[in-house]
Amino acid sequence: MGLEEKLPAGFMLSTVEGLAGYMRKASIWPATFGLACCAIEMMAVGTPDYDIARFGMERFAATPRQADLMIVAGRVSQKMAPVVRQVYDQMPNPKWVISMGVCASSGGMFNNYAIVQGVDHIIPVDIYLPGCPPRPQMLLNAIIELHHQIESTPLGVNRKKAAEAAEAAALSATPTHQMKGLLA
């Protein structure tokens, strides 16, 4: 005989982490970082056809201090990399990142010195969204997957340790141009 059987019908039990995760996933404000053609598909998600507002994302934040999700859409040049990192650092915790498109995720077809070969070398990425460019439906699916991650994210000290470990792993990752022997 558990506690659930002794409570009146309609009474809900949950943990603080579960409740906080549920509220967080329904109140994400994205900071857009549209750098190339993927940004057009990202903007399409805000139109009535796809309606990102149904996820509690009524507006794209114009300032990083009011955003908790960064959508990096398109290729990141070496000159833009410090700006991406600065915007990420200005976002309040907890924060999440979606790498939208093959160029943001791995440099895409631009395998040269001018393009960063994956935004995960600059900032930790939570969701990788493939495609060139990915469709708006794919971005909506990535947001739903991110919601699942946010709901199960620990709070407090546990969250800080997990975020620091993810960032350390991302920054110590082997650059793709050094993986040539591993990919063959």
Side-chain angles (χ1 to χ4, degrees):
M1 182 157 288
L3 179 64
E4 295 86 7
E5 295 170 3
K6 293 186 179 192
L7 293 172
F11 193 79
M12 185 176 92
L13 293 176
S14 181
T15 63
V16 173
E17 281 187 347
L19 189 60
Y22 180 77
M23 288 188 285
R24 277 185 185 164
K25 79 169 189 143
S27 62
I28 296 176
W29 283 358
T32 60
F33 217 89
L35 299 168
C37 46
C38 291
I40 302 299
E41 301 296 325
M42 180 180 59
M43 287 185 268
V45 172
T47 64
D49 291 342
Y50 301 102
D51 190 25
I52 199 170
R54 64 185 148 166
F55 298 113
M57 304 169 129
E58 277 77 19
R59 67 175 187 88
F60 286 96
T63 173
R65 290 177 178 86
Q66 296 176 351
D68 44 14
L69 169 64
M70 176 186 266
I71 302 173
V72 181
R75 60 189 177 271
V76 180
S77 67
Q78 294 289 346
K79 282 184 130 182
M80 190 56 78
V83 178
V84 172
R85 182 62 199 206
Q86 181 180 13
V87 170
Y88 177 79
D89 288 339
Q90 290 175 350
M91 292 170 58
N93 286 322
K95 51 191 166 189
W96 297 275
V97 177
I98 293 178
S99 176
M100 183 175 177
V102 70
C103 291
S105 298
S106 66
M109 67 187 102
F110 304 102
N111 190 8
N112 59 39
Y113 67 91
I115 302 299
V116 175
Q117 299 301 303
V119 75
D120 57 353
H121 294 288
I122 306 165
I123 56 177
V125 175
D126 296 294
I127 300 285
Y128 293 93
L129 179 57
C132 184
R135 300 289 304 142
Q137 298 91 334
M138 295 170 70
L139 180 55
L140 291 177
N141 186 53
I143 290 169
I144 291 169
E145 289 300 318
L146 184 64
H147 283 178
H148 295 308
Q149 284 186 15
I150 292 171
E151 275 188 299
S152 62
T153 300
L155 293 177
V157 179
N158 297 331
R159 167 69 180 151
K160 189 173 183 181
K161 287 179 186 175
E164 287 172 356
E167 187 166 359
L171 294 176
S172 67
T174 305
T176 53
H177 68 277
Q178 293 177 359
M179 293 182 179
K180 292 194 189 302
L182 299 174
L183 298 175

